[in-house]
Amino acid sequence: MLSRLNPQQLAAVRHVSTPLLVLAGAGSGKTGVITSKIAWLIRERGMQPRKITAVTFTNKAAREMRTRVKGLLAGTSSRGLTISTFHTLGLNILRKEYSSLDYKAGFSIIDPSDGLVILRELMRSESSADNKFPEQVLARISSWKNAFVLPHQVAGVIAEDDPVSKAAARIYPAYERQLHACNALDLDDLIIKPCVLMKDNPEILQRWREQINYLLVDEYQDTNSAQYELVKMLVGARGNLTVVGDDDQSIYAWRGAEAENLGQLSTDFANLNVIKLEQNYRSMGRILKAANQLIDNNPHSFKKALWSDLGYGDPILVLEAKNEQHEAERVVASMMQHRFQNARGYGDYAILYRGNHQARVFEKILREHRIPYFISGGLSFFDRTEIKDVMAYLRLVANHDDDSAFLRIVNTPRRGIGPGTLEKLGQYAADKGISLFAATSHLALDSRIAGAQLAALRQFSHWIESTAENISTSDMKQAIRQLLDQVAYPDWIRSTSEDEAQAERRMKNIDELLDWLNTDNSESGEPKTLADCVADLVLKGILDRSDDEQQGEEVSLMTIHAAKGLEFPQVEVVGIEEGQLPHRSSIDDDNIEEERRLFYVALTRAQRSLTLSMARVRQRYGETIDCDPSRFLEELPADDLEWQTLGRKLSNEEKVSQGNAALEQIRSILG
C-alpha cells in the first residue's frame, strides 16, 4: 500500500503524534497521501473507520477520495468512514442537533437564488435609499457568515461610508429571522450554525469530538474563518489532525478563503509538524522552473520549490497578437500545428482565461475550424427550469414552511392563482406569523380571498399534504411521480417545450432527478427521510455547479479558477496583459499576490508544453484599449521563453525544420 510513496509522502502518512501540515505543491500527489493515510490508520493503526473524517471542498474530490480508499482497503471494511465536503459535514451535524438551534426536523437548504428572493422581499418593505443592491447585500451577509460574524457583531465591521454594508447590517437580522420562520438554512449556515451550536453547548462539542477521533482536511488554503473555527472545535487539544494545502494555490479570497489559515496553524497548534511535498509528478522541468521563479515574488510562510524528474521539456511559447480576434486565431493555429506534429487528441488541449467573457472569440474560431470543444461553466443540471420546479415540489412536501418553494410552484402549472391572490395570502400569513402553506388552511382566509382562488390554493395544499402522508407508507419516488401527475406537470412540460423531443429530454431530466431519491444510501446505513434526500440534492446542486466534466475528445475552455485541480498535456493561457491578468480590480486594490498565485495555478496545469498569449489592443466596454504585457511575463525566466512577436518571419532554418517535422509526422501516420 505504501510502496509507491516517496520518503516525504511516506513520512506524512505515518505521522500521527502531533498535528500535521502537509505543504503539498501542485502535482505532488496530495490526494494519494490523504487516501493512503486513511487506509493506513484503519489497517495498520486499527482505527475504526467511523472515527475518521476527511473533508474537502467539492463532491467530485470527495468521490475520488472514497474510490481510492476503497481500492486501498480491498478486503478490509471501510463502513462508517466519512469522506465529504465541509458543507455535508455541517449538514450531518445539524441533522442530529437541529433542536438545540430551535429548528424543526425536515429543515430546508436554500440555494443562493432562493436566498436572493427572500432578501429582495425584505428589502422591498424598506424605503431606505441604500437598499438598491440586493445581490451585493446578500454577498456581504455571506462574507460575514464566512468570517464567523453574527448579526449582533456587524456593528464592529461595517464601514459608515459603504451603503452596501449599512444595508446588509440592517437586513442581516431580518434575513436570519425569515430563514428560521421558513425552517430553512442557506449554504453558509451549514458551517456557521454548527460552530455556534458547539460554542454554546459544551456537551454537543464533546459528543462530536468523541465521534471524530481523527480529522483530515484537503485544500486547507481554501478554508474561510468559519471552516477553520469548525476544524479547531472538532480537533480540540488532542490535535489529531492532518491538513493538506498549498499557500501558492490560494485563489479564492473573493469567496472568503484565507490563505493566512495555513500560517495560523503554527500559532494555534504549537507542536505542529510540517512536511513539504516538492516532487512534482505532472509537469516538465522547464514549466516548474517558470512557476517557481514566478511565485518566489510572493511572500511565504513556508518556502518550497517544485522539481520533477520528467525531463526539461520544450520552451514556453509566447504569442503576441494585434487584438483578441488575432489572438484567438494565433492560439488555435499554434494548437493545431502542435497537435499535428505530436499526434495528440483534441482532449489533450486546454485554453485557460481570467474571465468567462474571453471565451467567446475562441469559441468562434474553434467553430470555424470545426474543432470540437467543451466549455466549462454551462447550464448546471440543477439550474434547469424543470429541475428547479420539481425540487421546489420536493422541498415543500418535506417542509411545508418553505415559503420560497411554495411561491415557485403554487401556480406552476397555472391554476388561476395570480399575484393579487398571493399578495393577500402573504399579508394574511404575515399578520398571523405563519407560513404561506399554513395560511391556506385557515378558515378566516375566505374573508380575504375569493372562492375560486381559495379553492385552488386549498386543492394545491391538499396535494402536498396527501403526498407527504403517502411517502411515509409507500415508495418515495412513486409518491412524487403521482403528485406530478396530479398537478398535470407532464402536460405543462409538453406545453412549454419547443417540440416533443425537447419535452422528452426534460422528462428524462426529471426521471434522473427522482432516481436519486432513495431511502438506504446514508453513510451510516440508516434509511433517509425525504427531507434528508432533498437537503442532500439541494446541497449537491449548489456544490456541483462547477463540477461539469469534459465529454470525449474536445478542447477544454475554462477559467483558471475552474481549472484548479485539473491537468492537461498542453495548456494555452490567454490574455496575459496588465488589466486582464493581473485583473484591473486587483491592481486597484493592491492585491497582486493573489493574481500571481492565479497565474501560478495556470502554469502548473500544464504537463508537457505551455503557450502564453497576449493582445496589443483589446475591446473593453465598447472602447479600444491599448494593452501592455503583463508584469508576470517579466517574472518568468527569459531563457525559457520563445517569443513570437508581431511581424516576425521564420528563418530559412526554421522553415526547413518545420517542414521536416511535418513530413516526419506524415510518415509516422502513414506507417
Side-chain angles (χ1 to χ4, degrees):
M1 180 173 69
L2 305 180
S3 58
R4 295 183 179 181
L5 302 181
N6 66 38
Q8 291 74 33
Q9 292 172 330
L10 185 61
V13 167
R14 290 175 169 171
H15 184 92
V16 292
S17 57
T18 64
L20 175 65
L21 165 61
V22 181
L23 198 69
S28 62
K30 67 178 180 63
T31 303
V33 168
I34 293 176
T35 53
S36 294
K37 185 158 193 170
I38 293 171
W40 183 79
L41 287 171
I42 295 171
R43 179 169 287 176
E44 304 299 329
R45 300 283 294 195
M47 193 172 291
Q48 297 179 20
R50 62 184 179 86
K51 294 287 188 178
I52 301 172
T53 292
V55 291
T56 185
F57 283 86
T58 68
N59 286 326
K60 181 180 177 181
R63 287 193 299 268
E64 182 184 353
M65 289 171 63
R66 281 194 291 269
T67 300
R68 289 202 192 187
V69 170
K70 286 181 179 179
L72 292 170
L73 286 175
T76 303
S77 175
S78 60
R79 186 177 179 83
L81 172 68
T82 297
I83 300 177
S84 73
T85 65
F86 263 105
H87 293 94
T88 301
L89 174 62
L91 176 58
N92 291 337
I93 293 172
L94 294 174
R95 277 175 175 159
K96 292 186 171 66
E97 313 292 352
Y98 62 86
S99 61
S100 298
L101 287 169
D102 196 26
Y103 270 75
K104 295 179 287 187
F107 55 80
S108 296
I109 308 297
I110 65 168
D111 68 16
S113 62
D114 288 321
L116 191 58
V117 170
I118 292 171
L119 195 74
R120 280 178 172 148
E121 190 60 34
L122 291 171
M123 296 179 74
R124 193 175 291 120
S125 65
E126 291 193 349
S127 58
S128 176
D130 51 7
N131 278 352
K132 302 175 181 177
F133 323 98
E135 292 85 0
Q136 295 95 317
V137 168
L138 186 62
R140 188 62 51 85
I141 292 173
S142 176
S143 70
W144 285 337
K145 289 187 177 184
N146 289 334
F148 203 13
V149 177
L150 301 174
H152 67 276
Q153 298 170 324
V154 297
V157 297
I158 63 172
E160 284 300 318
D161 59 346
D162 181 3
V164 174
S165 287
K166 292 169 67 177
R170 281 196 316 275
I171 294 292
Y172 189 4
Y175 175 71
E176 290 295 281
R177 289 193 298 271
Q178 186 62 36
L179 287 179
H180 188 270
C182 295
N183 198 34
L185 301 164
D186 65 18
L187 185 67
D188 301 316
D189 286 333
L190 300 183
I191 306 298
I192 193 172
K193 296 287 189 200
C195 289
V196 171
L197 187 69
M198 289 187 283
K199 187 176 181 181
D200 294 342
N201 298 272
E203 70 283 1
I204 293 176
L205 174 60
Q206 185 58 33
R207 182 160 61 245
W208 282 93
R209 282 180 175 174
E210 291 174 359
Q211 184 163 326
I212 300 176
N213 200 30
Y214 202 95
L215 181 64
L216 303 98
V217 185
D218 189 22
E219 303 286 4
Y220 200 74
Q221 76 282 347
D222 295 336
T223 56
N224 57 43
S225 294
Q227 288 163 337
Y228 185 27
E229 187 67 24
L230 182 61
V231 168
K232 287 193 296 183
M233 284 184 172
L234 291 173
V235 171
R238 295 176 307 173
N240 291 345
L241 172 70
T242 292
V243 305
V244 181
D246 181 8
D247 52 349
D248 291 333
Q249 296 187 75
S250 180
I251 59 173
Y252 294 118
W254 52 275
R255 69 182 189 193
E258 297 186 15
E260 296 80 6
N261 285 348
L262 279 171
Q264 187 63 32
L265 282 166
S266 56
T267 300
D268 295 331
F269 299 96
N271 57 344
L272 180 74
N273 196 55
V274 179
I275 294 176
K276 300 178 183 180
L277 304 184
E278 296 175 295
Q279 183 174 359
N280 176 286
Y281 295 92
R282 174 188 300 161
S283 304
M284 306 295 282
R286 195 189 300 266
I287 295 170
L288 296 180
K289 177 185 174 184
N292 286 333
Q293 184 164 313
L294 171 81
I295 207 64
D296 275 348
N297 291 278
N298 274 5
H300 289 83
S301 300
F302 307 97
K303 289 281 290 185
K304 68 178 185 306
L306 297 180
W307 61 276
S308 167
D309 60 6
L310 300 176
Y312 199 53
D314 298 329
I316 298 169
L317 186 62
V318 184
L319 301 178
E320 184 184 23
K322 292 179 287 188
N323 51 44
E324 55 260 56
Q325 173 81 15
H326 188 222
E327 179 188 33
E329 292 170 350
R330 294 203 74 179
V331 167
V332 171
S334 174
M335 184 181 70
M336 292 173 67
Q337 180 182 356
H338 184 276
R339 177 176 176 268
F340 180 74
Q341 292 176 342
N342 295 276
R344 291 283 182 180
Y346 287 119
D348 287 346
Y349 296 84
I351 299 174
L352 309 183
Y353 36 78
R354 179 63 172 82
N356 279 309
H357 66 279
Q358 295 171 260
R360 290 191 290 270
V361 65
F362 287 93
E363 284 192 86
K364 175 177 177 291
I365 300 300
L366 289 169
R367 285 197 302 268
E368 288 177 356
H369 287 84
R370 299 183 179 180
I371 297 174
Y373 67 90
F374 161 84
I375 185 163
S376 179
L379 184 66
S380 162
F381 177 82
F382 287 89
D383 285 332
R384 301 177 190 275
T385 299
E386 65 274 14
I387 299 302
K388 291 181 79 70
D389 286 347
V390 176
M391 284 298 303
Y393 274 105
L394 292 172
R395 287 164 49 196
L396 192 61
V397 170
N399 174 19
H400 296 347
D401 294 329
D402 192 331
D403 281 356
S404 61
F406 181 97
L407 289 170
R408 180 173 183 93
I409 44 87
V410 68
N411 204 37
T412 304
R414 300 279 186 252
R415 44 183 77 95
I417 303 171
T421 300
L422 292 175
E423 185 176 352
K424 293 173 183 177
L425 178 67
Q427 188 58 58
Y428 182 88
D431 292 344
K432 300 295 182 180
I434 57 178
S435 68
L436 296 171
F437 184 92
T440 62
S441 63
H442 276 218
L443 294 176
L445 186 61
D446 60 4
S447 65
R448 302 200 189 185
I449 298 177
Q453 286 80 18
L454 183 60
L457 281 171
R458 287 177 172 164
Q459 177 66 59
F460 171 75
S461 299
H462 170 73
W463 284 328
I464 299 297
E465 286 180 330
S466 173
T467 303
E469 292 171 1
N470 289 339
I471 282 175
S472 63
T473 57
S474 65
D475 178 75
M476 190 182 296
K477 291 187 290 185
Q478 185 58 37
I480 297 300
R481 291 185 192 278
Q482 184 177 342
L483 169 64
L484 295 178
D485 288 338
Q486 287 176 334
V487 302
Y489 193 80
D491 295 337
W492 172 255
I493 286 286
R494 283 187 283 272
S495 68
T496 57
S497 298
E498 294 179 358
D499 51 39
E500 188 60 33
Q502 187 189 54
E504 187 67 23
R505 288 195 298 273
R506 296 176 70 189
M507 288 305 301
K508 285 183 178 178
N509 289 336
I510 295 172
D511 290 340
E512 182 179 347
L513 177 71
L514 296 184
D515 284 342
W516 285 338
L517 291 176
N518 57 78
T519 58
D520 59 354
N521 62 347
S522 68
E523 294 276 352
S524 64
E526 300 174 357
K528 285 188 176 182
T529 65
L530 175 66
D532 291 338
C533 291
V534 172
D536 287 343
L537 283 173
V538 173
L539 187 55
K540 176 179 175 62
I542 297 171
L543 298 181
D544 282 3
R545 282 187 169 91
S546 60
D547 267 1
D548 45 357
E549 295 187 12
Q550 182 176 2
Q551 304 294 322
E553 276 295 304
E554 304 161 317
V555 177
S556 293
L557 277 70
M558 63 185 68
T559 65
I560 302 172
H561 285 98
K564 187 171 177 291
L566 304 178
E567 58 187 38
F568 304 89
Q570 165 72 17
V571 170
E572 329 275 334
V573 191
V574 303
I576 316 299
E577 307 137 16
E578 288 291 296
Q580 196 77 29
L581 184 66
H583 195 271
R584 174 56 54 192
S585 61
S586 298
I587 297 173
D588 294 341
D589 296 340
D590 196 23
N591 192 24
I592 298 299
E593 290 175 11
E594 175 146 344
E595 292 290 294
R596 186 176 286 112
R597 292 194 295 268
L598 188 63
F599 190 37
Y600 174 86
V601 167
L603 298 181
T604 54
R605 299 313 92 195
Q607 296 173 306
R608 299 188 61 83
S609 54
L610 179 64
T611 297
L612 313 175
S613 68
M614 57 158 295
R616 285 294 184 183
V617 170
R618 195 173 291 273
Q619 292 291 319
R620 288 181 190 161
Y621 310 110
E623 295 183 16
T624 302
I625 306 294
D626 291 332
C627 303
D628 294 321
S630 170
R631 68 188 73 188
F632 299 149
L633 290 172
E634 298 177 0
E635 297 175 1
L636 302 179
D639 292 345
D640 293 293
L641 305 182
E642 180 182 310
W643 283 80
Q644 291 192 8
T645 57
L646 289 173
R648 178 181 180 271
K649 296 182 179 180
L650 294 178
S651 67
N652 289 330
E653 290 80 5
E654 288 174 317
K655 291 178 181 177
V656 170
S657 178
Q658 288 192 6
N660 289 335
L663 287 171
E664 194 60 38
Q665 184 65 25
I666 292 171
R667 292 191 189 101
S668 67
I669 294 173
L670 296 175

